[in-house]
Amino acid sequence: MTLNEFKVVISKKNLIAFLCLFIVIEIGLIAMIIFSDYVLMGSVLAIVLLIIGLIAILSTVLFSVKVIGSTIKVRTRSGGQYEFNCSDIDEVICSKRDSVRYGPSFYITIMTKSQKLNLEGTMVGFQEMAGYILNKYENNEIRHTAVSENCKKMLIRYKNGDIFKKKN
């Protein structure tokens, strides 16, 4: 895939661990239903966990952003779909949130008149999207008022992978 054709998706590396834990807990709850006096409580917990687990899995698997030329096609976490042209972008916001527990998190928010697309630094294709936005910005396909100078500097850092490199 090239700079004008790529995908941004949620990383699925933690999905297998989640699935294993999910299955173990469901088996435990089913055993609780079969072998104990807590049939009602076990049933309710098993159903609630099943619903929450399926929502978490589906939202991870469904979300994708596909870029083809100047068109950005989005499938949301709930499965809805929309698309827009890069010239429709009204604002690009680059942000960083610090967490004592998890460290810094990086985000790109792309806003059009009717849509808002949030991308996280942990997503596969995040760096490509930063490079794509910069390229379209420099080629005047995205209005210069849509990207602030500070955001432009952050996009350059995102594109070059500077934010992901460990400091020694």
Side-chain angles (χ1 to χ4, degrees):
M1 294 203 165
T2 65
L3 184 62
N4 285 320
E5 187 175 327
F6 62 92
K7 283 180 94 169
V8 179
V9 295
I10 298 172
S11 175
K12 296 177 182 56
K13 66 181 179 184
N14 295 328
L15 195 56
I16 292 174
F18 176 80
L19 275 171
C20 291
L21 181 64
F22 174 74
I23 290 169
V24 167
I25 293 172
E26 278 293 327
I27 290 171
L29 287 171
I30 291 170
M32 180 180 173
I33 294 168
I34 295 170
F35 300 114
S36 77
D37 295 334
Y38 300 104
V39 175
L40 181 60
M41 184 173 70
S43 300
V44 170
L45 287 173
I47 291 169
V48 168
L49 179 66
L50 183 66
I51 292 168
I52 291 171
L54 288 176
I55 289 171
I57 292 166
L58 283 175
S59 68
T60 300
V61 172
L62 286 176
F63 180 84
S64 74
V65 177
K66 188 172 186 179
V67 175
I68 302 172
S70 293
T71 304
I72 300 171
K73 296 180 179 186
V74 180
R75 187 174 63 207
T76 65
R77 292 175 188 240
S78 61
Q81 296 182 357
Y82 63 91
E83 66 180 66
F84 57 92
N85 194 292
C86 67
S87 62
D88 298 333
I89 296 173
D90 292 327
E91 186 175 13
V92 177
I93 301 169
C94 299
S95 58
K96 173 185 172 187
R97 294 186 194 113
D98 288 313
S99 168
V100 175
R101 187 173 189 180
Y102 300 110
S105 299
F106 300 94
Y107 303 91
I108 298 173
T109 303
I110 301 171
M111 297 172 64
T112 67
K113 283 183 178 57
S114 60
Q115 303 294 339
K116 181 178 178 181
L117 173 61
N118 293 309
L119 302 173
E120 301 172 16
T122 57
M123 292 180 173
V124 176
F126 183 82
Q127 286 180 263
E128 289 86 349
M129 181 59 89
Y132 174 81
I133 294 169
L134 275 172
N135 184 27
K136 296 299 182 183
Y137 173 82
E138 290 166 355
N139 292 331
N140 295 318
E141 294 180 56
I142 296 177
R143 288 185 293 283
H144 280 260
T145 56
V147 181
S148 70
E149 280 302 313
N150 188 41
C151 183
K152 182 180 172 186
K153 290 175 187 173
M154 289 186 78
L155 285 170
I156 292 168
R157 291 184 63 210
Y158 293 166
K159 182 186 101 174
N160 295 334
D162 296 345
I163 59 168
F164 304 109
K165 294 176 183 165
K166 301 272 187 202
K167 293 180 181 176
N168 291 330

